[in-house]
Amino acid sequence: MSETTTIMPKESYPYRYPRVPIQRRVYAFLLDFFAVWLVSALVGIPIFQFIAFIVGWWGLRVYAVSRYKGQSLGRWAFDVEIINGRRAKLPNIEDLTKRELVLGATALLGMIGLQYGLPNVLTAMILNAPLFANLIIAIGDEEHQQGFHERFVDTVIVPSRRGYSLDIRIRRWVDEISDRMRQ
């Protein structure tokens, strides 16, 4: 007699975490992405650019996050941090590496699409499609806004009290400039 296994639905998290606006998460990702892309673009030979991107991505998104309480450069600039959804603590370095392996691979494809695929718009769109698919998955998850890479290792992005609040500062600067232009 064979025993059938049923797939149980994933347990909900023990806490209800505050949500971070999706645009802040996108801005934080873009800041990290462009910082790593800039450093890797300084390397002239394409294969070394890819290696520099991978090493830079791991350094910024795994090593720095494990060392600086869940924040990378982009997350610090926009007041967000990453935690393990089950334990409500900083994920360990293995979980961060798994998470960033998935997201880093899509970011690398995005970098290739932007750097080498711009003359051919279709190539750039195809290579950036995994990043957009991950964003759509995060937008579609109304409870925790988890993308595929976050579901893979049960991590959650939450607001932080530590950071620079770059988006708020830019909004204030724009408001000040627009007020001065009206006068």
Side-chain angles (χ1 to χ4, degrees), residues 89-121:
K89 293 183 178 179
L90 179 67
N92 59 26
I93 201 157
E94 293 86 17
D95 287 342
L96 286 171
T97 301
K98 288 179 200 174
R99 176 188 194 277
E100 293 305 327
L101 183 66
V102 173
L103 187 59
T106 59
L108 181 64
L109 285 174
M111 190 254 325
I112 293 168
L114 290 174
Q115 192 161 341
Y116 300 107
L118 277 182
N120 184 353
V121 176

Side-chain angles (χ1 to χ4, degrees), residues 1-169:
M1 190 167 176
S2 68
E3 194 175 301
T4 60
T5 58
T6 59
I7 298 175
M8 299 296 291
K10 199 178 225 186
E11 301 173 16
S12 64
Y13 292 129
Y15 307 106
R16 179 128 175 102
Y17 298 109
R19 292 175 50 173
V20 174
I22 200 76
Q23 65 267 20
R24 290 176 85 187
R25 295 182 57 185
V26 170
Y27 297 154
F29 171 80
L30 288 175
L31 182 60
D32 287 342
F33 177 78
F34 285 117
V36 174
W37 187 15
L38 178 67
V39 171
S40 69
L42 297 175
V43 179
I45 303 168
I47 189 71
F48 292 127
Q49 284 181 341
F50 302 145
I51 293 170
F53 186 87
I54 292 167
V55 170
W57 191 262
W58 188 87
L60 185 62
R61 301 281 292 198
V62 175
Y63 180 74
V65 167
S66 67
R67 188 154 163 84
Y68 298 111
K69 299 179 183 174
Q71 291 182 314
S72 63
L73 174 66
R75 290 193 198 111
W76 173 80
F78 292 99
D79 298 335
V80 294
E81 65 182 319
I82 183 172
I83 61 170
N84 184 305
R86 303 262 177 244
R87 297 179 297 143
K89 293 183 178 179
L90 179 67
N92 59 26
I93 201 157
E94 293 86 17
D95 287 342
L96 286 171
T97 301
K98 288 179 200 174
R99 176 188 194 277
E100 293 305 327
L101 183 66
V102 173
L103 187 59
T106 59
L108 181 64
L109 285 174
M111 190 254 325
I112 293 168
L114 290 174
Q115 192 161 341
Y116 300 107
L118 277 182
N120 184 353
V121 176
L122 182 62
T123 303
M125 288 174 47
I126 289 171
L127 290 173
N128 283 295
L131 278 174
F132 292 118
N134 202 9
L135 176 64
I136 290 169
I137 290 171
I139 291 171
D141 182 10
E142 292 186 15
E143 188 174 356
H144 297 293
Q145 292 182 335
Q146 289 180 302
F148 176 74
H149 64 287
E150 293 162 329
R151 292 173 190 222
F152 185 62
V153 291
D154 287 331
T155 56
V156 179
I157 301 293
V158 295
S160 173
R161 293 185 184 151
R162 297 176 48 227
Y164 188 69
S165 304
L166 186 60
D167 55 335
I168 296 169
R169 290 174 192 253

